Amino acid sequence: MEWKKCYLDVMLVPMGFLICMGYHLWLWHKVRTQPFSTIIGTNASGRRFWVSAMMKDNEKKNILAVQTLRNTIMGSTLMATTSILLCSGLAAVISSTYSIKKPLNDAVYGAHGEFMVALKYVTLLLIFLFSFLCHSLSIRFISQVNFLINCPQDNSSVVTPGYVSGLLEKGFILNTVGNRLFYAALPLMLWIFGPVLVFLCSITLVPVLYNLDFVFASEKLNMTSENIVNDHHHAFASVPAGEDESLDVDYFTFSSSIAEYLKSASLVISHAGNSPFEVFEEGESEGVLEREIVCNFVFLLVGS
């Protein structure tokens, strides 16, 4: 193969591949070191809490857990089916006697000999095959979680929320890897029309993935040491120790009811949701409507 026919393929295709590979190595580093700056790390933390909540109150939430996992399995099944269908189509093209390169000879930059055409299709075939493998393994792990999340809990049980969370994370990691391989096949499919499109697609794909993979400052909660953020009975508080010992603040990460807090509160600051009505209801039940209500975007309970 002459250098003047293949130098664009030798230069641009590996450069595009290295750009995507470098981005994903950097993303993996961020997930390991700063997980809450990435969507992957944030979602992984939420799934751990979800598994713990489902197993703790399994009698009431078992149907919810099964339906959620079933929907996840359906998504992985769709991607696995698509990948293996594309593998079958590529295998048919490779084994056919029709030479697809002939109509493209005059329109494509780079090499388009027999070897290069075969290399393009075999590379695509391997990418889709590994994507299918990852999605199949993901279905296996999530199916196991579907059974284990409903296991009865006792002190001697080895099926703990931590163990189930580990299996679920393996399933989602494999699902993520399968999806990323599927995405990587898009630039390689354009390789059929020349190496220039491979490079352009690769450098376009990285900014798109970056905006989908990272949590930006505008999306993060602006939590200070004096704020208590509430989302309908889900609250978190952080109070600096020793600054004001006369301020009595109760804080929690989850509460099924805040009725007791409302009864004992002298000041309620709430968003304009159901909380003001709950305050009035509690006040009427106690025969007292002396509490002061202020509508805002935070929720604060100051004990009287």
Side-chain angles (χ1 to χ4, degrees):
M1 185 181 299
E2 297 180 5
W3 169 252
K4 64 180 182 180
K5 294 182 179 180
C6 67
Y7 74 96
L8 285 177
D9 297 88
V10 173
M11 293 176 60
L12 295 180
V13 175
M15 285 177 62
F17 176 78
L18 289 175
I19 289 173
C20 289
M21 181 61 68
Y23 167 75
H24 283 95
L25 288 175
W26 179 64
L27 175 62
W28 175 80
H29 174 73
K30 285 292 185 180
V31 171
R32 297 295 299 271
T33 58
Q34 301 175 15
F36 293 109
S37 66
T38 65
I39 296 295
I40 296 174
T42 304
N43 290 347
S45 177
R47 285 191 294 269
R48 286 192 291 270
F49 285 114
W50 179 81
V51 169
S52 179
M54 292 299 106
M55 297 186 72
K56 184 177 181 181
D57 195 13
N58 188 257
E59 292 183 359
K60 297 180 179 179
K61 299 179 179 178
N62 51 6
I63 301 299
L64 173 62
V66 171
Q67 288 179 341
T68 303
L69 293 171
R70 181 194 63 185
N71 294 338
T72 305
I73 291 173
M74 289 174 63
S76 295
T77 303
L78 175 63
M79 294 301 297
T81 304
T82 305
S83 297
I84 199 64
L85 285 175
L86 290 172
C87 285
S88 302
L90 288 169
V93 170
I94 294 172
S95 61
S96 67
T97 57
Y98 173 70
S99 182
I100 197 171
K101 69 181 179 64
K102 290 181 179 179
L104 303 175
N105 279 349
D106 299 329
V108 176
Y109 292 102
H112 36 67
E114 294 288 345
F115 172 78
M116 188 57 68
V117 171
L119 179 62
K120 294 175 182 179
Y121 285 109
V122 169
T123 304
L124 276 173
L125 179 63
L126 291 175
I127 292 291
F128 285 125
L129 192 61
F130 278 109
S131 178
F132 168 75
L133 179 63
C134 289
H135 284 296
S136 299
L137 291 174
S138 173
I139 293 170
R140 171 181 176 268
F141 281 109
I142 298 176
S143 296
Q144 290 178 350
V145 174
N146 209 3
F147 285 98
L148 297 179
I149 200 169
N150 291 320
C151 286
Q153 295 296 297
D154 54 57
N155 295 331
S156 60
S157 177
V158 295
V159 182
T160 61
Y163 175 75
V164 177
S165 297
L167 289 179
L168 186 61
E169 283 311 301
K170 289 180 181 179
F172 271 91
I173 288 173
L174 287 166
N175 183 276
T176 301
V177 172
N179 285 333
R180 294 310 166 105
L181 287 172
F182 198 91
Y183 302 156
L186 177 59
L188 293 176
M189 289 189 72
L190 296 177
W191 193 11
I192 298 171
F193 305 99
V196 177
L197 291 178
V198 177
F199 181 74
L200 293 177
C201 185
S202 297
I203 62 177
T204 304
L205 186 62
V206 169
V208 173
L209 291 177
Y210 176 79
N211 281 276
L212 296 176
D213 289 333
F214 284 87
V215 180
F216 298 99
S218 60
E219 299 175 358
K220 294 179 181 179
L221 293 176
N222 184 20
M223 297 183 65
T224 64
S225 59
E226 299 178 349
N227 286 345
I228 300 175
V229 179
N230 177 70
D231 182 13
H232 296 286
H233 302 175
H234 293 71
F236 175 83
S238 176
V239 179
E243 290 189 7
D244 188 355
E245 297 181 356
S246 63
L247 181 64
D248 182 17
V249 178
D250 292 321
Y251 65 93
F252 45 87
T253 56
F254 176 80
S255 177
S256 59
S257 174
I258 57 173
E260 295 299 325
Y261 293 91
L262 293 175
K263 290 179 181 179
S264 60
S266 58
L267 173 66
V268 176
I269 302 177
S270 171
H271 61 78
N274 294 329
S275 301
F277 298 101
E278 295 173 356
V279 174
F280 282 117
E281 291 175 358
E282 293 298 333
E284 291 175 354
S285 64
E286 296 292 324
V288 178
L289 281 175
E290 297 177 355
R291 294 183 179 84
E292 183 178 357
I293 303 174
V294 181
C295 290
N296 206 329
F297 68 98
V298 297
F299 186 92
L300 176 65
L301 296 177
V302 182
S304 56

